[in-house]
Amino acid sequence: MVRLKHFRFYFGVLISLVVMLFLSLGGGPWGAERSIGHWTGALFQNVCHQNPERSLLFSGVPMAVNSRCFGVFSGLLAGWLLIPALTRLTSKKPWELWLLLLAVIVQIIDYTGNLFQLWENTNMSRTVLGLFLGMAASMAVFRLFKPINKKITDHG
Amino acid sequence: MDEITEKQDPKYSFSDYWPSIGIVGAIFSLITFVGGLFFGYQQINSEPSGSFLSPFMISSGVLCLVSSIAGLIAVWHFTREVSPVLKLGQGAVIGFLTGAVIVVVSVLLSELWILLVDPEYNEKMLESVIANFEAMDMPQSTKDDMIDAMAESIESQQSIFRQIFIGIPITGLINLVTALIGVAIFAEKKQNDF
């Protein structure tokens, strides 16, 4: 079995992403009635508008982040989990960076279309697009974890 | 020989990282602070429309996205100004600390603004956001919840240290991830890395 390069770093970030995703569920898992005003909500107030109407519910309580941010955080974790599998790919073309660019462009189009009232996005569409962006962001770094190919010359 | 070893396994001191972290962190703090004020005063001076897409909501989304790419830009700055060779962990340190600088400087600038320029900024902002919520087409109970939550959120921002302590982990982690993307894009690759 080939071990990932920078395995400890990979594992540390993986734990951080799991903790971040869990905390983004907000006050629900902690038995609170709200997420804004709860300490989990305070953690995310710099990075998200936390509008309860635009947030998914967990245990009947709006999460600490809106649906798009929750999608991004979920996608970051999902993409990070895919890294070990992606390191087995042999393609030398930087497709992952094009994928990230595409994900960013799709976000901009969705945000702009909604802003100018060309269409109205929903919690589901924001979550899915956020998931796409988060996954693309994590996958963009998979080559940094690719094990160095060495010819095994001894059995020691 | 030494030069080759140095290039393959670069070691930098904090003073090597600091210019990229400090400059990019300060620039992005200023952008988020000025952008926040711009949208904030637009919100304060606008009539309550009842729209979700108020200046306050737009600024939250846009400024968050802008500040999250600071890690990537800091790594780009480092590879241009210090060394093109950068390891994964070193990029991560730059990203996380850039996020931390953004939080610290933004909080300090906001506190200074309230202390020296407009002591009633938070109150005016709260009143405006509540007025906008009141004008929204939704059940009264939902409105009340949103207003209570918003009031609690703004009132809970009283302590500078609390804002800094609670703001750094998430902003730092997000910038760490974008800094890794920066390493993937801008750092010099060794032959056997890819």
Side-chain angles (χ1 to χ4, degrees):
Chain A
M1 189 178 155
V2 183
R3 197 177 176 188
L4 280 184
K5 200 172 152 196
H6 309 298
F7 178 76
R8 279 188 296 181
F9 178 82
Y10 171 83
F11 192 70
V13 174
L14 177 66
I15 297 294
S16 305
L17 291 175
V18 170
V19 171
M20 181 168 75
L21 185 65
F22 178 69
L23 294 176
S24 75
L25 297 176
W30 306 87
E33 289 177 8
R34 282 199 292 261
S35 293
I36 301 178
H38 189 250
W39 63 271
T40 51
L43 274 174
F44 294 93
Q45 67 190 21
N46 282 345
V47 297
C48 180
H49 60 60
Q50 303 178 308
N51 186 334
E53 281 288 300
R54 294 188 151 226
S55 304
L56 301 173
L57 302 180
F58 186 86
S59 298
V61 178
M63 292 181 182
V65 293
N66 69 10
S67 50
R68 193 187 301 274
C69 289
F70 182 71
V72 171
F73 295 161
S74 306
L76 282 173
L77 178 59
W80 200 259
L81 287 169
L82 283 176
I83 285 177
L86 292 172
T87 56
R88 291 162 190 257
L89 298 178
T90 52
S91 168
K92 288 186 187 284
K93 289 183 180 169
W95 58 268
E96 68 280 7
L97 299 179
W98 290 109
L99 186 73
L100 178 59
L101 186 64
L102 176 68
V104 171
I105 290 170
V106 170
Q107 293 293 326
I108 292 170
I109 291 171
D110 178 57
Y111 191 87
T112 312
N114 192 63
L115 184 65
F116 292 108
Q117 299 179 337
L118 300 175
W119 57 77
E120 192 172 339
N121 52 30
T122 62
N123 274 345
M124 183 52 73
S125 69
R126 286 190 291 270
T127 307
V128 170
L129 290 180
L131 191 77
F132 178 36
L133 178 63
M135 284 185 79
S138 279
M139 288 159 67
V141 303
F142 85 87
R143 289 178 203 270
L144 299 171
F145 295 94
K146 218 165 183 171
I148 298 165
N149 289 327
K150 284 179 187 168
K151 281 185 181 170
I152 298 167
T153 51
D154 64 346
H155 299 281
Chain B
M1 185 69 182
D2 280 353
E3 198 181 320
I4 292 169
T5 311
E6 180 91 350
K7 213 172 179 189
Q8 284 177 345
D9 189 16
K11 286 189 172 56
Y12 304 111
S13 65
F14 189 70
S15 57
D16 294 319
Y17 297 133
W18 179 240
S20 303
I21 294 167
I23 291 169
V24 176
I27 289 172
F28 275 79
S29 309
L30 267 177
I31 291 171
T32 51
F33 170 69
V34 173
L37 280 184
F38 173 76
F39 285 113
Y41 281 108
Q42 269 207 329
Q43 173 76 51
I44 288 167
N45 295 317
S46 64
E47 288 296 318
S49 64
S51 166
F52 274 120
L53 294 166
S54 61
F56 175 71
M57 290 297 176
I58 294 171
S59 74
S60 302
V62 172
L63 297 176
C64 156
L65 282 175
V66 168
S67 65
S68 66
I69 61 164
L72 186 144
I73 303 294
V75 165
W76 169 79
H77 183 272
F78 186 90
T79 57
R80 293 282 298 236
E81 300 296 327
V82 181
S83 164
V85 181
L86 186 65
K87 290 203 297 190
L88 187 71
Q90 293 163 337
V93 168
I94 290 176
F96 188 86
L97 291 179
T98 304
V101 167
I102 291 173
V103 172
V104 173
V105 177
S106 302
V107 168
L108 291 178
L109 287 173
S110 301
E111 290 297 322
L112 279 175
W113 185 264
I114 290 166
L115 197 69
L116 303 174
V117 182
D118 189 355
E120 290 170 357
Y121 178 78
N122 276 347
E123 283 79 9
K124 287 190 284 190
M125 186 70 168
L126 185 59
E127 280 171 21
S128 171
V129 171
I130 288 174
N132 196 50
F133 281 152
E134 289 285 5
M136 283 180 183
D137 182 23
M138 63 169 75
Q140 188 59 42
S141 60
T142 312
K143 278 184 200 174
D144 291 343
D145 272 357
M146 287 172 73
I147 290 167
D148 287 351
M150 189 59 65
E152 241 176 82
S153 170
I154 290 181
E155 279 162 12
S156 71
Q157 290 182 358
Q158 296 305 322
S159 156
I160 296 178
F161 292 110
R162 184 174 187 273
Q163 287 180 65
I164 290 174
F165 180 74
I166 219 157
I168 286 177
I170 303 297
T171 310
L173 183 59
I174 290 170
N175 277 286
L176 181 152
V177 173
T178 62
L180 295 185
I181 297 171
V183 174
I185 297 173
F186 303 118
E188 196 172 276
K189 282 91 184 169
K190 284 180 274 181
Q191 280 288 309
N192 54 4
D193 259 6
F194 280 70

